[in-house]
Amino acid sequence: MENIAGHGERSRAPGRRGLAAYGRVLRRLALRTEGVVAMEFALLAVPFFAVLFVVLNSALMIFCNAVVQGAVAQAARQIETGQMQNIDTNCPPTQNSTLTTFQTNVCKNLFGQLPCANLYFDVHSFATFGAINMPAPTYNAQGKVTNNCFNTGGSGSIVAVRVIYAWQNMVPGLTNLMHVSNTTTPIQYTVIVKNEPF
């Protein structure tokens, strides 16, 4: 019986020694700090760069909005003074020389900062300021505006000139956060003028 008991004690001894050795290894690992910086960078890199790209995307959108504002203000002045006259109730409008000239002038005032292919023009004429009611733009599957018009009205008309720029987002997944169904974000700027007598 004594031999059996002694044999049992000896069989359990290696297990305790193994646990002690394992504990010593864990303590040594806990004291090692060589990889702390790499671990912290790995944990913070994704949210850091995500925030960085969102900030850059927002800054570029603000710049884009300022450029579009200047271009639309210049173009609206030409409509106000009667240099651009086009009474067209079709939406989208029928392409003609006046519309082409208007598009060219707006693009020229962008100074090459934005691609003109992403610009959509929406011009509506109203009898009074109180009658202004700009319809919400509709988009197809490619993100292009489908209900834009180009009606500059006549002498004394109230004209709303809206330019919509399809901003291509830099950050993947940002459109989901902004509740936009496609990969572009529409940037709109509207100028309302009263045509001079002409």
Side-chain angles (χ1 to χ4, degrees), residues 56-74:
L56 289 175
N57 188 78
S58 300
L60 289 174
M61 285 181 66
I62 294 171
F63 171 76
C64 169
N65 188 50
V67 172
V68 171
Q69 286 182 19
V72 176
Q74 293 289 335

Side-chain angles (χ1 to χ4, degrees), residues 12 27 42 47 51 60 90 94 101 112-113 115 119 129 147 153 166 179:
R12 287 195 293 272
R27 284 194 294 273
V51 171
L60 289 174
N90 295 320
T94 305
T101 303
Q113 300 297 319
L119 282 176
F129 285 101
N147 65 333
H179 304 289

